[in-house]
Structure formats: C-alpha cells, structure tokens
C-alpha cells in the first residue's frame, strides 16, 4: 500500500484516490464537492483535498493555482507538497525558487529523498551547475542505487560529460554491488577507449574477482583489455603484480587468449629493457600463473620458460610447479619455430649490443647468416702450415687464385653466378676491386684474423655438391688457433689436412682434441696429402692404412681421402666428389644447425660480457695513458717555453751586441769628424758667418758618414745576425722535430707536427733592408748652441770679424774651440735619431720570436685539450658503467634465460632430464 501511495505521489495522481467511487467523473467537481462536504465537519481536515486539488491544477498546467493549494498543507503530505511546489516553479522557469524549495525539504521517506535529488540533478544540469549535478547524483546513487534508472541516469550523464573518472567509479562499484554483467561490459568499453590508464591497477582487482565467479569468458576478455591498456604505461609492472595476486588464488582453467597474453608479457619482460631487480620477484609468480592457465599450444613455451628461469634463479619457483613443467616438457613436442625464435633473440642481442656501443658486429651477423643457409654445406679446411691446404683448395677452385705464400686470413669460397670478393669485419663489409686487390690483402699478416673474406665465383664442383670451402691459416700458432676456432660453429664438416710424410703428429692430436672438445657434434675427416712424395705404391698404401688405423683409434667414424696435387686433376676431382658425397647428410643438417646456432649465441653472450669488461679496462687504461700523456705534453710545453726564452735571449742579445758595436763606433768616429772640420777655419774666414758654415758642414759630414759607412756596415752585421738567428732557430726546429716524433710514436699516428715559423725571418730581412737603405738625418744644432763659449765666439765674429787686425785672434779662438770641443751631446743626439727606427724593431723582437713558436705551442695546447677531453669523457663512461652495472649485466642475464629456454625447447619431447 505504501508503494502504491508513493507511486501516486510521484506521478501526482493522489487525487485518483478520491475518484474510486466516482469513476469517470470530473476530478475538479468531485474534489470541490469533497471540499464543501469536509467543511461541514466540526474539525474539518482540508489538507488532503487541497493536496489533490493542487495535483489536478498541475495536470492542467495551472501551476500558480497548484502552488496556492500546496502552500496550505499541514499534515504528513507537507514534504510532498513542497516537492510539488518546487516542481511547479521548475515548470514556470522560476528555477532559483524551485532550488530553494527542493533544498528545504526534510524527510525520512527514501522515495521522496530520491525524487527530490533527481529533480535537483535535472535542475543543476539546466542551470549549468555541473559540479552540483555530479555531487547530487553521486549521493543519490549511494543513497538508493536500486531506485529505478538512477544508476543508468548517472552513467549516461557522466558519459555525456566525458567525466570518465566518475563513470568508471560508478561502473566498478555497481559491478561489484549488483554483479550484473552489463556493468562489467561498461568497464571493458571504458578500458578499450583508453580512459582507464591513469588508474591504479589495484582499482580493478575486486571487480575482476567478482566477474571471475560470474562469467569466465567475460573475465578473460576484460583482463586482456586491461592488460593491453597498461602495457606501455609506467604502471605496467604494478598491473602485473596485481594480476599475479589475482590469478594465484584462482583455480586452474584453460584460457587461450590469456595464455597468449602471459607469453607476450614473458617475452617482453626478458627482452632486456627492464632491470632485473624490478622483475625478479614478479617473474616466478607470473610463470606459475601462466602454467596454471596455459593452453596446449603454449604448454611447451610456458614449461621451458619455468625450467630456464629456475636454472638461472634456483629456488625462486615452487618445486611442485617445476615438476609440473617438467612433465609437460617431456610429453610435449618440439616447437618448429625454434629457429625463428633464435633469430629473433639474436637480432635483439645485436640491437642491444649496438646501443651499448659494443660495435655493429657484422662478422657475427655474417656467421649467423651462413648458419641459416641450409642449402649449403660448409667444409672447414684445417691443417698445419705446409700440409698442402692451398694446393688442395686450388684444384677444387680450378684457377690460379691462391699464391704460394701461406694463407693469412679466413676465406670462404662459394659458388655464385655473380663474382664478388668482400672482407667482413666487425665494423662493416668492404668490397675488393678485383683478384689483385684480394691477393694483396692475403699477403698482409697484421690483424689478418680480425676479419674474414668471402670469395664468390661460379664453380661447378662447389655448385654440384652445394658446398662452400672455408680456408684457414695454418694451426701452428696457439693464438692463431684460438682465432680460427671461432669459425668451428659454422662448419658442418671439418677436413683436416695431413702431410703424408709426418701424418697425425702429436701437435695435430692436441689440436684435434681441442676441436673435438669445442664442437663434439661436428664430424672430422682427413685428407692425406702429398701422396706423390712417397717413393712407391706399396709404401703409400702402408702409410695410408697405418694412418687410418691410428686415426680411427681416436675417431672411429672418421674417413680419410688420399690426395696429391701432382696426380691427374680430373681423376682427383672425381675421387674427391665420391668422398664428399659419402659425407653428406642433409637430413640432419637443419637440426644440427639449430644446435650450432644456440651454441654460437651462448658464446656471443659470453663474448659480449667479456667485450664490455674489455671496454671498461680499455677506458681505464686510456684514462691513465692520457693522464701520462698530459704530464708529458705539459713537460714538452715547458721545454718549448724554455726553448723560446733561450732563443729570445740569444737572438736579442746578439742583436743588441751589433747595435752596441755600431754605437761605440759612432761615439768614437763622429767627434773626430766634427773636429776635423777645423780645417774650414782660416785667417781670412768671414767670422761673422763662420759658425753657420761650420754647423752646415758638420751636418753634411755626419750624413755622409752615416750613409757611406754606418748603414752598409750595419746592414752587413744584421744580415749575418739573421743568418745566425736562422741557424739557432733551425737547431730549435730539430729539437721540436724530436719532440713531435716522440709523441707521434707514442700515439702511433701522425698526431702533431711542431714547426718554427721561419717566415718571420723574411719580415726581418725586409725591415732591415728598408731601415738600412738610406737615412736622412734631420739637421742638428752642433755649432749654434747657446753655450757661453759659442755665444762669445758668435758675438765676437759679428763685432770684430770685419776688422782685419782682429782676425788672427778670432781664427785662433775658433780653431781652438773646434779642436777641443767634446761633441758628446751632438754625438748622442745623432745616435738617438739614427737608432730610433732600429729601437722599434728591437722592441718587437720578443713578440716576433714568440710568434715563431706560436704554432707549436698551439699544437701542444690542442693535443693537451684533446687528451683532457678524452680523459673526462672516458671517466664519465667508466663512472656510468660502475654506477649502474646492472644496466649492462641484467639484459645479458635475461638473454641467457631466453637462450636457455630455446635450448630446452629444441629438446622437447626427447625425454632429456638435463643438459
């Protein structure tokens, strides 16, 4: 009954309760009559009738009349009346009044609370108060989630607003509360749209567990969707941790799609991009869960993943899980994609190695490429120097390719329509221009085994037998053997050359023992060479039989072929063809090549680890070496500085010595020249002008002396000085050459050239030629100075010079003065003016000599800077390598896990307990 009343109140049809006995009557008339009737009572209660009248007015859209009626309700219907009044204001568009009324309603009636909230929700949307709308609809869902359409209204609103946070929250909560699968479908939709990536992965755990109990198919699809959504996010590992927690508590169940997700994740985690410490604890649980849900298709992959992880990280996986994995492994079948998986792992390792600056590894890539060429069988031809390998190969090749000198490099000869010769190194592949280039390369011995050569040309024998020959240097040297043994992995068969004159020596036994230890699955056969050197047929047969018997004692399956380059070549090739055909076993080739590839990859991982250690050690050694070089270079700079100072002192001292010699001579000669002018003074001289004549003549004679005596002599002295300076500087150049050669020898290359820049001497010659080509002395006052004696003679000459009786007296005075004057001041003035330009030259000498050595100093400075930069760079690299060594070790460890798994997969179903 209560639900019926609530329904009537919600729909505003409470008035129909007054019409139960008057079906079909007009509501207004019935209610009016009821109103008049109620008024006749002693204590009339008009609230019910007024409430019903308000509803009728509302139905007829007479909202004001309805509001009037509802405003006078004083019984239990008062909260509903307020709600109806608010509805009327809402219809009239008076939204603020409607909002106030809705908010003023106080009631314990859950239905009324819900209806008011829904009306407020609509009102807030209309008024653009989205935050208020969110709050009210969330409270409504929380208050009365089972109320018809409440959750659907909320979901629709959140989606329209693209409010994914609240939409997801609503869906997850309702999925858990109601267990309705539709809500899980909504969650999957949101996940697929990518709007859940920012959520903590633990957010979905409870909902997923609920769905697991409800619908396993939906559970699988939702887990896969969430898994994909987190895959490239920072929270990926956190998701895997939560997922592990979920699955570890579930019962075993086969899910194909989820099994594939586990497989993809496993391979993703061990591809080297995650630090081991981040996945070490996660992986065992992940593998355990994978085995629990895997389908038959992935059973071998999952079981071998567990076995390989347990081998590298013992006791990390439950014993029962390992036993189950072993059972699956023994009853499974070999995975036909092992080779493909091997190549994928190999590519991953090579890419990682290149990123780690471990080289491009072109030679390793080439060897893998040859291993994967199942159509061609590789014969590795080995033997000591002088065993006749070259002549044996020469007959097969049928042309003069090999020279008489011993083989220096590893060369693979193969049949190909297009002739080509290429050298493969770790850094790259280089093509030879032709046979002459190839033969020149074969004559080189230095670093010959750090590369290999592929020689391709049409060849009928190789083509007919689908064969490639790998020729190697002689095995006499231990270090050479170690380099050659690297190529054992690509050999399908080993042909060991024996000299019939000393077959199966102790050294050859040692070498063969080493080969067998490294590659026990590669068959070894022998060519007994130089049979023509045995003096008769019976002796040849005896030696052949004895050698074969001895060999078969050690290698029972080995075959022996007798050969001589001096026999008929056609017959020899026919016999060799039969011998080669007897060795072929194409059926097992692919299987053996797979095992070889796995072994080769294991060696590659080991070598990369060693290569990294070598790089670190080399960096440390390079730092120390460069530090020593910086000390030596700084010492050389100091020596060069001392040399510069020494040459500067010597050259400037020599220059000053010449200058001082000239100065001394001028100091001595100029006064004599001036005194010699006394001859101009005669008794009949015009003493009123004699002082002028003497001054002019003295300047002329000094000018003549400077031009005809001083300048030529000075020029000669300076030319000798330049030549001597050149000799001094050439001695310095010899010292610089010695320093440069010493450093270049240490660097092993032409790193520096220290030169004295002697072009400066040409500048000196030009300057000296210019300064000594002529000199114009500005007239100096020698005899016109204002000394007391000169003033007296000048005045006497003017006053008494015209009187003949005074001339003897003036003559004697002038003569005495000219002869006895020291002329020191005049001489000093001449010297100062003469040497003025030479002094400028002298002051520039130190700068000029510094310029001569400048280039050498700059070269040393640059080399020091380069060394210091290399020290800094290498120290930073070493620090980086030591600060986080797991960045290098972890990927290799994970690559080894994957490799070990591939080794297990290659033996699946063979009943192997361990290997």
């Amino acid at each position: 009954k209560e639900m019926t009343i609530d329904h009537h109140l919600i729909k505003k049809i409470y008035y129909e309760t007054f019409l139960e006995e008057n079906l079909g009557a007009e509501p207004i008339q019935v209610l009016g009559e009821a109103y008049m009737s109620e008024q006749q009572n002693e204590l009339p209660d008009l609230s019910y009738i007024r409430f019903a009248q308000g509803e009728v007015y509302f139905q007829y859209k007479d909202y004001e009349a309805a509001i009037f009626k509802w405003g006078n309700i004083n019984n239990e219907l008062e909260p509903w009346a307020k709600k109806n009044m608010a509805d009327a204001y809402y219809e009239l568009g008076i939204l603020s009044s409607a909002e106030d009324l809705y908010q003023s309603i106080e009631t314990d009636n859950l239905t009324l609370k819900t209806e008011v909230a829904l009306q407020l929700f609509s009102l807030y949307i209309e008024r653009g108060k989205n935050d208020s709308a969110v709050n009210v609809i969330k409270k409504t869902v929380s208050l009365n989630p089972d109320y018809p359409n409440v959750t659907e209204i909320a979901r629709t609103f959140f989606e329209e607003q693209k409010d994914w946070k609240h939409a997801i929250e609503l869906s997850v909560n309702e999925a858990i509360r109601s267990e309705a699968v539709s809500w899980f479908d909504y969650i999957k939709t949101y996940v697929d749209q990518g709007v859940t990536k920012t959520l903590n992965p633990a957010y979905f755990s409870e909902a997923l567990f609920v769905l697991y109990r409800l619908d396993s198919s939906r559970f699988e699809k939702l887990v896969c969707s969430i898994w994909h959504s987190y895959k490239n996010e920072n929270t990926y590992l956190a998701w895997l941790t939560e997922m592990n927690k979920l699955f570890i508590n579930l019962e075993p169940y086969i899910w194909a799609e989820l099994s594939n997700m586990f497989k993809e994740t496993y391979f993703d985690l061990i591809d080297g991009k995650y630090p081991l410490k981040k996945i070490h604890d996660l992986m065992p649980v992940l593998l355990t869960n994978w085995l629990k849900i895997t389908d038959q298709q992935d059973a071998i992959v999952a079981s071998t993943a567990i076995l390989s992880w347990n081998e590298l990280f013992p006791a990390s996986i439950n014993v029962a899980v390992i036993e189950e994995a072993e059972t699956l492994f023994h009853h499974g079948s070999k995975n036909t994609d092992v080779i493909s998986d091997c190549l994928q792992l190999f590519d991953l390792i090579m890419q990682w190695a290149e990123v780690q600056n471990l080289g491009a590894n072109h030679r390793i890539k080439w060897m893998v490429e040859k291993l994967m060429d199942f159509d061609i069988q590789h014969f590795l031809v080995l033997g000591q120097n002088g065993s006749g390998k070259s002549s044996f190969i020469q007959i097969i090749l049928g042309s003069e390719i090999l020279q008489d000198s011993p083989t220096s490099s590893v060369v693979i000869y193969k049949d190909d329509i297009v002739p080509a010769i290429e050298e493969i190194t770790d850094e790259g592949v280089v093509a030879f221009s032709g046979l002459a280039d190839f033969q020149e390369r074969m004559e080189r011995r230095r670093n010959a085994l750090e590369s290999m050569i592929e020689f391709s040309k049409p060849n009928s024998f190789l083509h007919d037998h689908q064969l490639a020959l790998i020729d190697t240097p002689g095995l006499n040297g231990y270090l050479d053997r170690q380099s050659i043994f690297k190529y054992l992995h690509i050999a399908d068969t080993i042909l060991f050359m024996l000299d019939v004159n000393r077959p199966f020596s102790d050294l050859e036994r040692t070498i063969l023992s080493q080969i067998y230890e490294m590659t026990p699955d590669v068959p070894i056969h022998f060519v007994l060479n130089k049979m023509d050197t045995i003096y008769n047929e019976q002796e040849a047969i005896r030696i052949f039989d004895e050698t074969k018997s001895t060999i078969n004692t050690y290698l029972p399956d080995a075959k022996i072929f007798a050969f001589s380059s001096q026999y008929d070549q056609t017959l020899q090739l026919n016999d060799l063809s039969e011998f080669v055909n007897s060795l072929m076993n194409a059926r097992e080739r692919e299987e053996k090549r797979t095992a070889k590839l796995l072994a080769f990859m294991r060696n590659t991982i080991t070598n990369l680890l060693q290569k990294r250690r070598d790089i670190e050690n080399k960096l440390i050694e390079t730092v120390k070496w460069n530090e020593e070089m910086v000390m030596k270079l700084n010492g050389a700079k100091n020596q060069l500085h001392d040399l510069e100072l020494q040459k500067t002192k010597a050259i400037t001292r020599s220059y000053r010595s010449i200058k001082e010699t000239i100065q001394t001579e001028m100091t001595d000669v100029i006064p004599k020249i001036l005194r010699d002018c006394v001859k101009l003074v005669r008794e009949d001289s015009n003493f009123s002008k004699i002082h002028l004549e003497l001054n002019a003549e003295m300047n002329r004679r000094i000018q003549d002396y400077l031009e005809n005596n001083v300048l030529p002599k000075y020029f000669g002295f300076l030319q000798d000085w330049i030549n001597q300076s050149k000799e001094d500087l050439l001695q310095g150049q010899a010292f610089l050459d010695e320093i440069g050669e010493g450093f270049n020898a240490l660097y092993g290359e032409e790193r520096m050239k220290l030169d004295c820049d002697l072009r400066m001497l040409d500048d000196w010659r030009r300057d000296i030629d210019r300064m000594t080509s002529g000199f114009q002395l500005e007239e100096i006052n020698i005899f016109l100075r204002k000394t007391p004696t000169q003033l007296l003679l000048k005045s006497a000459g003017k006053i008494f010079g015209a009187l003949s009786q005074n001339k003897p007296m003036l003559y004697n005075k002038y003569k005495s003065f000219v002869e006895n004057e020291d002329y020191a001041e005049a001489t000093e003035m001449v010297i100062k003016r003469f040497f003025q330009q030479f002094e400028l030259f002298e002051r520039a000498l130190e700068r000029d000599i510094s310029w001569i050595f400048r280039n050498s100093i700059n070269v040393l400075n640059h080399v020091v800077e380069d060394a210091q930069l290399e020290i800094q760079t290498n120290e930073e690299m070493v620090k980086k390598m030591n600060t986080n060594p797991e960045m290098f070790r972890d990927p290799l460890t994970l690559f080894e896990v994957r490799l070990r798994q591939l080794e297990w997969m290659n033996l699946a179903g063979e009943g192997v307990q361990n290997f």
Side-chain angles (χ1 to χ4, degrees):
K1 182 178 180 181
E2 183 179 345
M3 286 300 296
T4 303
I5 292 174
D6 283 349
H7 173 74
H8 281 70
L9 293 174
I10 292 168
K11 297 296 185 180
K12 294 184 180 63
I13 55 173
Y14 174 74
Y15 68 88
E16 290 182 356
T17 59
F18 290 91
L19 304 179
E20 291 176 354
E21 296 179 358
N22 299 285
L23 294 176
E26 282 294 329
I28 294 176
Q29 181 180 351
V30 172
L31 291 173
E33 292 175 353
Y35 185 87
M36 295 301 295
S37 175
E38 181 65 25
Q39 277 188 326
Q40 302 302 316
N41 294 328
E42 183 177 351
L43 295 173
D45 185 2
L46 299 174
S47 293
Y48 296 104
I49 299 172
R50 287 172 179 162
F51 185 89
Q53 287 176 327
E55 288 181 332
V56 174
Y57 291 138
F58 187 92
Q59 299 292 350
Y60 283 98
K61 301 186 185 320
D62 188 353
Y63 301 120
E64 291 180 352
I67 292 169
F68 175 77
K69 286 293 184 179
W70 285 325
N72 293 289
I73 306 299
N74 298 308
N75 59 8
E76 71 276 9
L77 295 178
E78 181 180 356
W80 282 99
K82 282 187 176 182
K83 186 264 183 187
N84 289 347
M85 290 170 64
D87 291 346
Y89 281 121
Y90 193 138
E91 295 296 330
L92 289 170
I94 309 174
L95 301 182
S96 60
S97 297
E99 183 179 350
D100 291 340
L101 271 173
Y102 285 134
Q103 291 177 341
S104 69
I105 298 172
E106 296 181 2
T107 180
D108 293 328
N109 186 303
L110 184 58
T111 300
L112 178 56
K113 283 183 178 181
T114 304
E115 283 294 317
V116 169
L118 290 174
Q119 286 297 95
L120 271 173
F121 171 71
S122 299
L123 184 147
Y124 287 144
I125 292 174
E126 192 166 338
R127 298 193 70 181
K129 293 183 173 183
N130 285 342
D131 290 343
S132 298
V134 169
N135 290 333
V136 75
I137 197 62
K138 285 180 63 179
K139 288 180 181 178
T140 305
V141 170
S142 177
L143 178 69
N144 195 1
D146 291 323
Y147 197 77
N149 296 324
V150 163
T151 53
E152 190 61 29
I153 290 170
R155 184 188 64 80
T156 303
F157 169 70
F158 291 144
E159 289 183 358
E160 289 174 350
Q161 298 297 314
K162 298 190 184 306
D163 185 351
W164 304 117
K165 176 179 179 296
H166 289 112
I168 297 164
E169 180 183 30
L170 172 68
S171 299
V172 170
N173 290 340
E174 283 302 296
I176 295 170
R177 185 191 68 83
S178 67
E179 298 187 356
V181 294
S182 59
W183 286 108
F184 292 99
D185 293 340
Y186 291 139
I187 295 173
K188 185 177 183 304
T189 299
Y190 299 145
V191 172
D192 292 340
Q193 289 174 352
V195 296
T196 63
K197 293 180 179 181
T198 58
L199 295 175
N200 187 319
Y203 189 81
F204 297 102
S205 297
E206 185 180 355
L208 289 173
F209 187 74
V210 171
L211 182 58
Y212 164 73
R213 290 188 288 102
L214 295 173
D215 189 324
S216 62
S217 176
R218 275 187 165 88
F219 170 78
E220 180 181 29
K221 286 181 170 51
L222 180 54
V223 170
C224 288
S225 290
I226 297 173
W227 205 320
H228 280 298
S229 73
Y230 281 121
K231 191 164 188 180
N232 296 315
E233 302 300 316
N234 294 330
T235 50
Y236 184 45
L237 296 182
W239 155 254
L240 294 179
T241 300
E242 287 300 320
M243 183 273 304
N244 274 338
K245 292 177 184 177
L246 173 65
F247 276 82
I248 204 69
N249 295 311
L250 303 185
E251 295 297 324
Y253 189 86
I254 303 302
W255 280 299
E257 189 176 355
L258 268 174
S259 177
N260 190 58
M261 286 300 304
F262 273 96
K263 181 169 69 173
E264 288 180 7
T265 300
Y266 165 70
F267 289 136
D268 183 51
L269 292 178
I270 64 168
D271 72 356
K273 63 174 175 284
Y274 290 102
L276 189 55
K277 63 183 179 182
K278 287 192 174 182
I279 64 171
H280 183 272
D281 295 334
L282 184 151
M283 186 67 80
V285 186
L286 181 115
L287 294 175
T288 299
N289 286 328
W290 182 14
L291 194 68
K292 183 188 294 187
I293 61 93
T294 189
D295 60 357
Q296 190 62 36
Q297 183 177 353
D298 290 334
I300 288 295
V301 184
S303 60
T304 54
I306 287 174
L307 295 175
S308 60
W309 184 269
N310 184 64
E311 280 194 27
L312 271 81
F313 305 101
S316 61
I317 300 177
N318 187 279
V319 174
V321 175
I322 295 171
E323 291 174 351
E324 183 181 355
E326 288 176 343
T327 301
L328 282 172
F329 169 74
H330 292 309
H331 291 87
S333 58
K334 182 174 295 188
N335 192 320
T336 57
D337 292 331
V338 171
I339 290 178
S340 175
D341 292 341
C342 284
L343 292 177
Q344 288 179 7
L345 177 59
F346 177 76
D347 290 341
L348 184 64
I349 294 171
M350 291 297 98
Q351 292 168 13
W352 174 85
E354 196 159 356
V355 170
Q356 294 295 324
N357 297 315
L358 296 177
N361 296 294
H362 284 280
R363 186 163 47 155
I364 296 174
K365 294 175 183 177
W366 178 89
M367 293 174 72
V368 169
E369 181 183 326
K370 296 307 164 189
L371 278 174
M372 292 299 98
D373 186 0
F374 297 128
D375 294 332
I376 301 299
Q377 185 167 210
H378 302 121
F379 274 25
L380 182 66
V381 185
L382 301 175
Q384 291 182 262
N385 287 337
S387 61
K389 278 192 306 90
S390 297
S391 60
F392 173 78
I393 292 174
Q394 189 72 64
I395 287 178
I396 294 176
L397 298 179
S399 58
E400 293 296 327
I401 292 174
L402 301 178
Q403 298 175 311
D404 294 335
S405 57
T407 300
S408 63
S409 301
V410 175
V411 186
I412 180 169
Y413 297 97
K414 67 172 190 174
D415 168 69
D416 202 314
I417 297 174
V418 181
I421 310 173
E422 295 179 328
E423 182 174 19
I424 299 98
T425 66
D426 285 339
E427 289 72 33
V429 179
V430 179
F432 290 115
S433 59
L435 183 60
D437 195 11
F438 164 72
Q439 291 176 339
E440 186 277 329
R441 168 64 182 81
M442 291 294 287
E443 290 178 357
R444 282 187 263 146
R445 296 289 184 268
R446 186 177 180 184
N447 302 325
L449 292 175
E450 292 182 4
S451 64
M452 73 162 306
I453 299 170
E454 185 174 65
F455 193 110
S456 307
K457 61 168 288 190
N459 183 278
S460 58
F461 186 89
L462 298 180
H463 178 271
D464 293 343
H465 295 88
Q466 292 184 303
L467 189 65
L469 293 179
I470 304 173
D471 189 16
T472 62
L475 297 175
N476 297 59
Y478 174 76
L479 293 177
D480 287 349
R481 290 206 299 273
Q482 300 309 304
S483 297
I484 294 167
F485 285 170
K486 295 177 183 177
Y487 298 92
L488 293 174
H489 294 290
I490 61 173
D492 297 300
T493 300
I494 294 173
L495 282 183
F496 200 95
M497 308 297 297
L498 298 174
D499 186 339
V500 70
N501 297 293
R502 45 179 177 81
F504 217 53
S505 65
D506 290 341
L507 176 59
E508 288 169 335
R509 288 190 183 95
T510 300
I511 293 171
L512 288 164
S513 176
Q514 293 172 343
I515 292 173
Y516 184 79
E517 184 178 346
M518 295 179 69
T519 54
D521 293 334
V522 178
I524 304 174
H525 303 289
F526 297 84
V527 175
L528 193 60
N529 204 356
K530 302 183 181 180
M531 295 296 294
D532 60 284
T533 61
I534 305 302
Y535 55 88
N536 62 53
E537 185 177 350
Q538 289 77 12
E539 179 66 12
I541 293 173
R542 183 190 68 78
I543 294 174
F544 181 88
D545 290 341
E546 286 183 0
T547 303
K548 185 176 188 303
S549 176
T550 303
I551 289 173
N552 288 150
T553 301
Y554 295 93
L555 299 168
D557 298 328
K559 298 181 179 182
I560 304 176
F561 175 70
F563 177 81
S564 172
S565 60
Q566 303 303 313
Y567 293 169
D568 180 84
Q569 293 189 6
T570 302
L571 182 61
Q572 285 275 271
L573 284 176
N574 290 335
D575 292 344
L576 181 60
S577 179
E578 292 181 12
F579 177 71
V580 169
N581 288 333
S582 71
L583 306 179
M584 295 291 189
N585 191 349
R587 183 178 58 83
E588 297 179 356
R589 189 181 305 162
E590 181 173 341
E591 183 176 329
K592 286 188 175 182
R593 290 277 184 93
T594 303
K596 288 176 182 293
L597 179 58
L598 290 167
F600 180 76
M601 287 170 62
R602 181 165 293 282
N603 285 338
T604 299
I605 291 173
T606 302
N607 291 337
L608 286 174
L609 186 59
Q610 183 59 47
K611 196 172 185 179
R612 193 265 187 187
R613 294 193 192 102
D614 293 342
I615 289 174
E616 183 177 356
N617 292 334
K618 187 175 181 180
L619 287 172
I620 293 171
E621 291 173 4
T622 303
V623 167
K624 292 179 179 178
W625 189 84
N626 275 307
E627 287 174 342
E628 293 175 0
M629 290 301 293
V630 168
M631 292 176 61
K632 292 177 181 179
L633 288 165
N634 285 328
K637 285 170 62 179
N638 292 332
Q639 289 179 304
L640 183 54
H641 181 66
D642 292 341
L643 177 65
E644 180 184 333
L645 289 177
Q646 175 190 342
K647 297 304 177 185
T648 300
K649 288 179 180 179
I651 292 172
T652 55
R653 184 168 55 244
S654 176
Y655 178 83
R656 291 192 185 106
S657 176
I658 295 171
K659 174 185 171 185
E660 289 169 359
T661 300
I662 297 296
Q663 282 180 331
T664 301
E665 180 182 320
M666 291 174 69
T667 302
D668 185 53
V669 172
I670 290 175
K672 291 178 181 180
I673 291 173
L674 296 180
R675 290 188 187 100
D676 195 50
C677 288
V678 72
K679 297 175 182 178
L680 295 176
V681 182
R682 299 186 300 276
E683 289 186 6
D684 61 346
S685 296
N686 183 353
F687 288 103
S688 63
K689 296 181 179 179
I690 188 64
H691 61 286
L692 297 174
E693 293 173 358
L694 283 170
N695 195 73
E697 181 61 21
M698 287 177 174
N699 274 280
R700 187 193 67 75
R701 290 190 181 189
I702 293 171
Q703 179 69 40
D704 182 66
Y705 165 68
L706 293 175
E707 288 190 358
N708 297 320
N709 293 85
V710 176
L711 287 177
K713 183 181 290 187
Y714 202 7
F715 176 78
F717 286 166
L718 291 177
Q719 290 301 314
D720 293 340
W721 169 77
I722 289 176
N723 292 333
Q724 183 59 47
S725 298
K726 183 177 181 180
E727 291 299 320
D728 288 346
L729 291 172
L730 287 175
Q731 291 176 6
Q733 179 64 62
F735 179 67
L736 292 179
D737 289 342
E738 184 179 343
I739 292 176
E741 288 171 3
F743 279 113
N744 289 336
L746 289 173
Y747 278 109
E749 62 180 5
E750 195 72 17
R751 179 68 68 93
M752 65 178 72
K753 184 170 178 58
L754 305 178
D755 286 328
C756 287
D757 194 343
L758 299 182
R759 292 176 298 174
M760 182 58 69
L761 299 179
D762 295 331
D763 292 343
W764 287 356
R765 287 191 176 91
R766 284 193 294 271
D767 289 342
I768 288 169
D769 185 61
R770 172 180 54 76
M771 291 187 296
T772 58
S773 62
F775 177 74
Q776 182 60 49
L777 179 65
E778 184 180 348
E779 184 174 322
I780 61 175
N781 188 349
I782 302 172
F783 215 78
L784 302 177
R785 303 176 70 78
K786 295 180 179 181
T787 63
T789 304
Q790 288 193 21
L791 287 173
L792 180 60
L793 289 173
K794 180 179 178 183
S795 300
K798 289 182 178 180
I799 298 171
F800 304 111
L803 302 175
S804 58
Q805 64 272 21
N806 295 324
K807 286 187 176 182
M809 181 271 292
L810 290 173
Y811 165 73
N812 291 325
K813 290 291 183 182
Y814 264 101
K815 184 177 180 182
S816 174
F817 175 76
V818 173
E819 288 178 339
N820 297 318
E821 179 68 25
D822 65 0
Y823 300 107
E825 190 175 352
T827 300
E828 184 181 352
M829 190 178 298
V830 171
I831 291 173
K832 181 178 181 182
R833 292 185 179 180
F834 178 79
F835 282 103
Q836 188 173 17
Q837 60 180 343
F838 291 101
E839 286 177 355
L840 293 173
F841 178 79
E842 180 184 354
R843 284 198 293 270
L845 280 179
E846 185 174 344
R847 180 202 63 197
D848 290 348
I849 297 171
S850 176
W851 190 86
I852 289 172
F853 289 95
R854 181 183 61 179
N855 180 63
S856 296
I857 291 176
N858 287 340
V859 168
L860 286 174
N861 283 332
H862 286 316
V863 176
V864 169
E865 290 171 3
D866 290 343
Q868 289 173 334
L869 179 61
E870 189 170 358
I871 289 171
Q872 180 183 350
T873 301
N874 290 343
E875 283 180 338
E876 289 175 355
M877 291 179 66
V878 171
K879 182 179 179 181
K880 182 179 179 182
M881 294 171 80
N882 291 328
T883 301
N884 199 5
E886 61 271 13
M887 288 184 64
F888 188 93
R889 289 198 306 266
D890 288 358
L892 287 177
T893 302
L894 294 172
F895 293 154
E896 190 174 357
V897 170
R898 178 69 175 116
L899 176 61
R900 187 61 176 143
Q901 181 191 15
L902 292 173
E903 291 171 344
W904 278 107
M905 290 172 65
N906 194 45
L907 295 176
E910 296 184 9
V912 179
Q913 295 299 319
N914 207 338
F915 61 98

